[in-house]
Amino acid sequence: GQQVMQIPQYQHVQEGEDFTTYCNSSTTLSNIQWYKQRPGGHPVFLIQLVKSGEVKKQKRLTFQFGEAKKNSSLHITATQTTDVGTYFCAGRNSGGSNYKLTFGKGTLLTVNP
Amino acid sequence: DAEITQSPRHKITETGRQVTLACHQTWNHNNMFWYRQDLGHGLRLIHYSYGVQDTNKGEVSDGYSVSRSNTEDLPLTLESAASSQTSVYFCASSADRFGGYTFGSGTRLTVV
């Protein structure tokens, strides 16, 4: 079945440093989504990428979808303490009638003020 | 405002008991999902539904069941609770099959 791998598992940074998490799928994806989960909270949808090579920005967050639609990344510029949480990618297979999302295991980001 | 609510927020139950976790959404979303979240495993899909009377098994469905009698609710039943089912359970919904999910606040279930 489809697997979505996410690295790193943990990342600790000083406030102001940049942060990147990577997501790799074993199969070609129709789209990929990113979620953020604050400690003790629930996952919150951030964005969806659909097109090969797509890049989207949300303030300090930059999301990329690979040319082959098998990988993605989330980059945070100049982290702040409000960025603390676990970032999940979730991929959806291309083709067929399988619409289910497969989540990566997430990257836990901690920020030292 | 539309919302998705889960109840209870916390529950402790004994091994072998039947437990039902509630999920109610007022988004009028056709698609609803149940996930469990465990350390080291991320979010794993238990069951999902694309509409009334439609239910499907996810990757970790053994020991769980769901029913969809209306658009708003997708209750999750643990037929005979086991310690391995101690987890945080999240319900989610989406407007279409390709869009993002809106998650509930979760139910922390402990089976003793």
Side-chain angles (χ1 to χ4, degrees):
Chain A
Q2 179 189 22
Q3 290 189 343
V4 175
M5 310 299 292
Q6 206 173 337
I7 56 169
Q9 195 173 358
Y10 308 97
Q11 184 78 61
H12 178 76
V13 300
Q14 289 291 128
E15 190 172 22
E17 292 182 339
D18 292 356
F19 159 77
T20 305
T21 175
Y22 300 91
C23 186
N24 291 286
S25 170
S26 57
T27 59
T28 302
L29 302 171
S30 62
N31 60 56
I32 194 158
Q33 299 177 0
W34 286 91
Y35 293 78
K36 176 183 178 181
Q37 183 178 22
R38 294 183 186 276
H42 57 277
V44 175
F45 174 73
L46 294 177
I47 206 161
Q48 177 169 277
L49 304 172
V50 179
K51 299 177 183 177
S52 171
E54 189 170 14
V55 178
K56 287 188 175 180
K57 293 189 176 184
Q58 290 180 348
K59 298 183 180 179
R60 294 178 294 105
L61 278 62
T62 301
F63 304 85
Q64 293 188 333
F65 200 8
E67 293 290 340
K69 301 183 76 172
K70 294 182 74 172
N71 58 75
S72 181
S73 65
L74 159 60
H75 179 82
I76 302 178
T77 303
T79 55
Q80 300 176 358
T81 55
T82 54
D83 295 324
V84 165
T86 301
Y87 293 85
F88 294 96
C89 63
R92 190 173 271 123
N93 266 341
S94 62
S97 60
N98 182 358
Y99 305 105
K100 298 192 306 292
L101 281 177
T102 299
F103 282 81
K105 293 183 179 181
T107 296
L108 173 60
L109 171 66
T110 56
V111 179
N112 198 31
Chain B
D1 285 345
E3 58 182 2
I4 178 167
T5 55
Q6 292 184 238
S7 61
R9 289 299 308 275
H10 303 272
K11 185 169 182 68
I12 301 174
T13 192
E14 295 179 341
T15 300
R17 290 194 179 268
Q18 184 181 78
V19 177
T20 296
L21 309 183
C23 176
H24 178 80
Q25 52 98 3
T26 57
W27 292 99
N28 200 35
H29 287 168
N30 282 325
N31 311 309
M32 296 184 73
F33 310 86
W34 274 104
Y35 286 87
R36 60 177 290 174
Q37 185 173 40
D38 306 285
L39 274 175
H41 290 280
L43 290 158
R44 293 183 290 174
L45 183 63
I46 306 171
H47 281 286
Y48 60 103
S49 168
Y50 288 143
V52 176
Q53 302 301 332
D54 176 75
T55 60
N56 306 278
K57 294 181 179 181
E59 60 181 303
V60 291
S61 60
D62 287 349
Y64 303 93
S65 64
V66 293
S67 61
R68 188 89 182 271
S69 58
N70 58 51
T71 300
E72 295 80 17
D73 299 289
L74 187 70
L76 177 71
T77 297
L78 286 68
E79 305 294 343
S80 177
S83 57
S84 60
Q85 294 176 308
T86 292
S87 185
V88 179
Y89 291 86
F90 287 103
C91 179
S93 70
S94 70
D96 63 73
R97 298 191 183 190
F98 301 99
Y101 292 1
T102 300
F103 281 83
S105 298
T107 294
R108 182 175 295 276
L109 177 69
T110 303
V111 183
V112 298

